[in-house]
Amino acid sequence: GIQVEQSPPDLILQEGANSTLRCNFSDSVNNLQWFHQNPWGQLINLFYIPSGTKQNGRLSATTVATERYSLLYISSSQTTDSGVYFCAVGYNTDKLIFGTGTRLQVFP
Amino acid sequence: DAGITQSPRHKVTETGTPVTLRCHQTENHRYMYWYRQDPGHGLRLIHYSYGVKDTDKGEVSDGYSVSRSKTEDFLLTLESATSSQTSVYFCAIGQGAGNTIYFGEGSWLTVV
């Protein structure tokens, strides 16, 4: 099956800094989603982005399907951005495979 | 927020007892999923449903069964709970491949 690797596993930032999170996958995908899990455990869908670039406020994501990676950019980070970011992928299926996540801590 | 309710939210049970977790949605989404989350593993799919009475296995289905008798309800049953099934269980809903999925708030299960 498809393997998903996320990097870095942990990231510590000061408020206002920018960051880039990476998701590498081992095979073709046509379904890729980014999620944020807040410190209370709630999982929020950030982007559905099997290819191309999308932006939502301070967050943007780019997926280069031919090179099998996706990037999540967080600009001007805030303490509320803290939590774990997951990438999930699939191909011609609704069974998503999740990476193990990047844990982000933003300090004031 | 998507209308997804999981119950119970927290449960402690003894090894060998049956446990049923319920996921209820008000969005009329066709697809429903059960995931478990464990440290170091991210989220792993247990079972999913693509319609009433239509279910399929995920990555980690051993020891679990599911049922979906109505569009809005998806039940996950541990027939005989084991300590390895201590985990956080998340229900999710979606419209199928090519669409975003939405998660419930999770159910914390401890098997002692």
Side-chain angles (χ1 to χ4, degrees):
Chain A
I2 300 175
Q3 304 296 314
V4 183
E5 291 185 359
Q6 292 187 241
S7 60
D10 295 280
L11 190 56
I12 300 174
L13 300 174
Q14 194 156 25
E15 222 170 12
N18 302 327
S19 60
T20 301
L21 284 59
R22 188 177 181 100
C23 172
N24 291 333
F25 40 93
S26 61
D27 210 338
S28 299
V29 301
N30 55 10
N31 187 343
L32 189 147
Q33 303 186 33
W34 282 97
F35 296 87
H36 174 224
Q37 186 170 36
N38 66 25
W40 296 272
Q42 188 180 15
L43 281 155
I44 304 297
N45 191 294
L46 297 176
F47 293 103
Y48 170 78
I49 186 165
S51 63
T53 297
K54 288 186 178 179
Q55 181 158 8
N56 184 3
R58 296 181 295 104
L59 272 60
S60 63
T62 295
T63 297
V64 184
T66 54
E67 297 187 21
R68 301 182 182 170
Y69 72 88
S70 182
L71 302 175
L72 178 68
Y73 305 96
I74 305 174
S75 64
S76 303
S77 55
Q78 301 176 358
T79 56
T80 52
D81 295 329
S82 296
V84 183
Y85 290 80
F86 291 102
C87 166
V89 305
Y91 182 77
N92 284 348
T93 176
D94 35 88
K95 296 187 201 180
L96 292 178
I97 304 298
F98 280 73
T100 54
T102 291
R103 181 175 301 276
L104 174 65
Q105 297 179 71
V106 182
F107 290 96
Chain B
D1 291 340
I4 310 169
T5 304
Q6 292 186 226
S7 59
R9 294 290 315 283
H10 299 271
K11 185 173 182 65
V12 179
T13 192
E14 293 187 347
T15 299
T17 61
V19 176
T20 295
L21 305 180
R22 178 183 184 234
C23 179
H24 178 78
Q25 61 146 330
T26 59
E27 305 296 322
N28 201 34
H29 281 23
R30 179 182 175 190
Y31 291 78
M32 299 185 74
Y33 312 82
W34 277 108
Y35 285 87
R36 62 177 287 175
Q37 184 175 25
D38 305 289
H41 289 279
L43 285 96
R44 293 179 292 174
L45 182 65
I46 305 171
H47 281 281
Y48 75 107
S49 169
Y50 46 96
V52 173
K53 296 185 180 179
D54 291 324
T55 64
D56 200 358
K57 296 179 179 179
E59 306 169 71
V60 288
S61 59
D62 288 347
Y64 302 94
S65 62
V66 290
S67 66
R68 192 167 177 202
S69 59
K70 298 183 292 184
T71 299
E72 57 266 34
D73 290 325
F74 193 32
L75 304 180
L76 177 70
T77 298
L78 291 64
E79 300 290 347
S80 178
T82 67
S83 58
S84 65
Q85 293 175 312
T86 292
S87 187
V88 184
Y89 292 86
F90 285 95
C91 173
I93 66 173
Q95 301 277 36
N99 292 279
T100 58
I101 66 171
Y102 302 94
F103 282 92
E105 295 186 329
S107 294
W108 276 252
L109 177 67
T110 301
V111 183
V112 297

